[in-house]
């Protein structure tokens, strides 16, 4: 398939799970862009990756997760948070990271990212494009920047697409 999920704050919630998922999303974008810029020919070169980009959607909220299967085990997560993260991914600009207001509320406290309003609302709620600040804070920001209460689980779903926005 062309979709993968990454979850932060499972199985135990952490105070900075939304911050971590934004960091992961931006690092994935940077790594993918670097693949497309490597010169050369043949397998694994930039030529193989040219024209491909990721769209990433982030949302923070409650999840239910557990191991399923009897012969091929996998850890799965379920809930409306999945659906909302997927809708953010579908609305995200190609090559960009789009976050929900809940993720912005939790990750924004650290001051590590810019959250610019996006022209598309998801479920009639504003969405925000995530970019780095010029001088990022360490991933493990001090607790006073993150707030006292841990946020709910943050979920990320990127999907591959071309520069034209096709899957």
């Amino acid at each position: 398939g062309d979709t993968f999920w990454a979850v932060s704050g499972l199985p135990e919630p952490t105070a900075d799970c939304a911050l971590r998922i934004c960091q992961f999303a931006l690092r994935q974008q940077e790594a993918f862009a670097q693949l497309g810029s490597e010169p050369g020919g043949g397998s694994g070169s930039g030529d193989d990756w040219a024209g491909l980009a990721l769209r990433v959607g982030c949302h923070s909220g409650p999840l239910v997760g557990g191991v399923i299967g009897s012969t091929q085990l996998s850890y799965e997560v379920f809930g409306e948070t999945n659906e909302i993260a997927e809708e953010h991914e579908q609305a995200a600009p190609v090559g960009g990271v789009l976050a929900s207001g809940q993720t912005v509320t939790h990750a924004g406290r650290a001051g590590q990212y810019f959250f610019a309003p996006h022209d598309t609302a998801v479920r009639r709620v504003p969405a925000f494009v995530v970019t780095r600040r010029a001088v990022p804070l360490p991933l493990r920001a001090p607790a006073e920047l993150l707030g006292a209460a841990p946020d709910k689980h943050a979920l990320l779903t990127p999907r591959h697409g071309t520069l034209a926005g096709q899957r």
Side-chain angles (χ1 to χ4, degrees):
D2 67 352
T3 302
F4 66 90
W5 294 91
V7 179
S8 178
L10 284 178
E12 297 297 323
T14 60
D16 62 350
C17 61
L19 181 67
R20 288 175 183 226
I21 212 69
C22 288
Q23 178 79 341
F24 176 78
L26 290 170
R27 285 184 178 173
Q28 292 301 302
Q29 292 290 24
E30 292 163 359
F32 205 79
Q34 185 176 1
L35 283 173
S37 66
E38 293 176 355
S43 180
S45 73
D47 297 339
D48 294 337
W49 297 90
L52 295 178
L54 297 175
R55 293 180 304 178
V56 180
C58 301
H59 178 65
S60 299
L63 293 168
V64 175
V67 177
I68 62 169
S70 57
T71 56
Q72 185 175 347
L73 302 176
S74 67
Y75 188 86
E76 299 289 335
V77 292
F78 307 93
E80 186 179 28
T81 298
N82 287 15
E83 297 166 17
I84 296 171
E86 184 174 7
E87 290 173 29
H88 279 79
E89 172 270 316
Q90 292 168 356
V94 174
V97 177
L98 193 66
S100 69
Q102 289 90 324
T103 299
V104 170
T105 297
H106 298 297
R109 286 181 259 172
Q112 188 168 344
Y113 305 106
F114 287 118
F115 297 99
H118 190 260
D119 57 358
T120 302
V122 176
R123 296 190 178 202
R124 298 186 200 145
V125 176
F128 302 85
V129 175
V130 183
T131 57
R132 292 189 186 282
R133 289 195 177 273
V135 181
L137 297 171
L139 180 57
R140 284 208 160 277
E144 61 270 12
L145 292 177
L146 297 171
D151 56 88
K152 296 181 181 175
H153 312 294
L155 176 68
L156 159 80
T157 172
R159 183 172 296 207
H160 298 273
T162 65
L163 291 176
Q166 300 173 345
R167 293 182 207 176

